[in-house]
Amino acid sequence: MSGLVGRNLLAGAEPDVAADAGHPDPPPRMGFFTDTSVCIGCKACEVACKEWNSVPEDGLEFTGMSYDNTQQLGADTWRHVAFIEQRKPIGRAEPGTDHGESPGAASDGNGTDMRWLMASDVCKHCTHAACLDVCPTGSLFRTEFGTVVVQEDICNGCGYCIPACPFGVIDQRKEDGRAWKCTLCYDRIGGGLEPACAKACPTDSIQYGPLDELRERAALRVEQLHDIGVEDARLYGHDPDDGVGGDGAFFLLLDEPEVYGLPPDPVVTTRDMPSMWRHAGMAAAAMLGGLAAVFAVHGREGGAR
């Protein structure tokens, strides 16, 4: 651990996050690559997640928002499948190819192009996880696989992690006030198994494996989609130089991140804590210095009398 002295672990490049968290000789960092271009919106991932992790049902209310009845990630929704209907021109393969239309392509019957964007969202397991930084009890911890897990039996329900997350992932259950989120099935991957959601996905939209391998696979998939005319295909959360140091769970999107309800340029919310404390310390020192000067002046005036 001596090599960590002087390093700013709140932001910046972090190539070996598990070792820097104190794990000796950790295995390769594991993660998710979610390819939304092949998501069919079946919600098998949501069901598998709930069944394996005993996540309570979350109401399943009719929202009036297409087929999306869970709306967003939360304490009782660790995987959320978004349904986004768009009317816009669809990228198609070049003439003479057999790739057909781009993912999600359809027609409304009136000759208007439309498409469904379906995406299974999840905790990002950030390289720099602000939720972990602000936890006062150690309930949140970094695993040997580089993932971030909540130990619910240690959580005191303070809620500091909730506003700390730049993605709005982690949440508290109303019944007990404790924080809950995706664990990337820590109990399964420790035994060499796939996370439940990836195991259940029928199209391999959710892929699990070593993060470096997933990034290479994702880059090739983007090239393939560009080659068949899907120019909007792009990766989100894959870049180790982004505001959270890269995500342990990243995505292939077919439109801007905002369309999916994702922040375009997320930044770890604890990044500026050191400078904030320095400025606070300087302000406090200046205030104390001013008070000392006032008392010194009054003391001299009193002695003169």
Side-chain angles (χ1 to χ4, degrees):
M1 296 293 289
S2 59
L4 303 182
V5 176
R7 294 188 59 181
N8 176 12
L9 299 182
L10 295 178
E14 198 64 65
D16 200 350
V17 66
D20 288 344
H23 294 285
D25 299 320
R29 184 176 179 183
M30 307 300 283
F32 284 133
F33 163 47
T34 302
D35 181 353
T36 70
S37 71
V38 294
C39 178
I40 59 174
C42 67
K43 290 182 176 281
C45 56
E46 287 193 18
V47 175
C49 176
K50 283 183 176 292
E51 287 184 344
W52 180 263
N53 295 292
S54 299
V55 180
E57 65 91 14
D58 43 5
L60 302 179
E61 300 174 356
F62 177 71
T63 64
M65 298 169 60
S66 183
Y67 293 99
D68 185 354
N69 57 7
T70 48
Q71 300 185 64
Q72 61 188 358
L73 295 172
D76 297 333
T77 303
W78 298 2
R79 269 277 180 188
H80 166 240
V81 179
F83 290 76
I84 302 155
E85 184 176 325
Q86 289 185 325
R87 292 189 176 183
K88 61 181 297 183
I90 302 296
R92 292 185 172 82
E94 295 180 0
T97 68
D98 60 357
H99 297 297
E101 294 183 332
S102 68
S107 172
D108 65 358
N110 297 316
T112 302
D113 283 332
M114 60 181 296
R115 66 176 178 176
W116 285 101
L117 298 181
M118 290 172 267
S120 181
D121 197 9
V122 71
C123 172
K124 312 308 180 288
H125 294 275
C126 307
T127 297
H128 296 291
C131 59
L132 191 156
D133 293 337
V134 301
C135 180
T137 66
S139 171
L140 280 143
F141 74 101
R142 179 81 62 182
T143 75
E144 67 271 29
F145 302 104
T147 58
V148 179
V149 173
V150 183
Q151 301 172 95
E152 66 274 7
D153 56 331
I154 301 177
C155 177
N156 66 357
C158 69
Y160 294 162
C161 55
I162 311 302
C165 176
F167 298 99
V169 167
I170 195 165
D171 193 18
Q172 292 171 290
R173 283 188 186 154
K174 296 178 181 178
E175 293 77 10
D176 61 14
R178 293 179 294 174
W180 303 80
K181 73 171 190 69
C182 162
T183 67
L184 216 145
C185 284
Y186 183 44
D187 52 345
R188 289 177 63 90
I189 65 177
L193 301 175
E194 278 186 289
C197 58
K199 184 69 175 178
C201 181
T203 64
D204 282 336
S205 172
I206 301 171
Q207 302 176 34
Y208 164 76
L211 196 56
D212 288 341
E213 293 181 13
L214 292 177
R215 286 170 174 162
E216 292 179 5
R217 191 183 308 168
L220 291 175
R221 176 60 177 160
V222 170
E223 289 182 11
Q224 179 188 29
L225 290 172
H226 287 173
D227 288 343
I228 64 172
V230 188
E231 297 178 357
D232 288 339
R234 84 282 309 274
L235 296 179
Y236 178 85
H238 69 297
D239 186 0
D241 294 322
D242 69 13
V244 295
D247 295 326
F250 67 101
F251 304 81
L252 186 154
L253 305 179
L254 298 178
D255 210 323
E256 299 290 341
E258 300 94 315
V259 172
Y260 296 83
L262 296 168
D265 296 301
V267 174
V268 58
T269 54
T270 51
R271 180 192 62 181
D272 297 323
M273 285 179 65
S275 62
M276 291 169 63
W277 281 112
R278 284 196 297 271
H279 284 96
M282 292 170 60
M287 182 180 68
L288 291 174
L291 290 173
V294 169
F295 282 119
V297 170
H298 281 289
R300 287 194 299 270
E301 289 178 351
R305 294 192 186 98

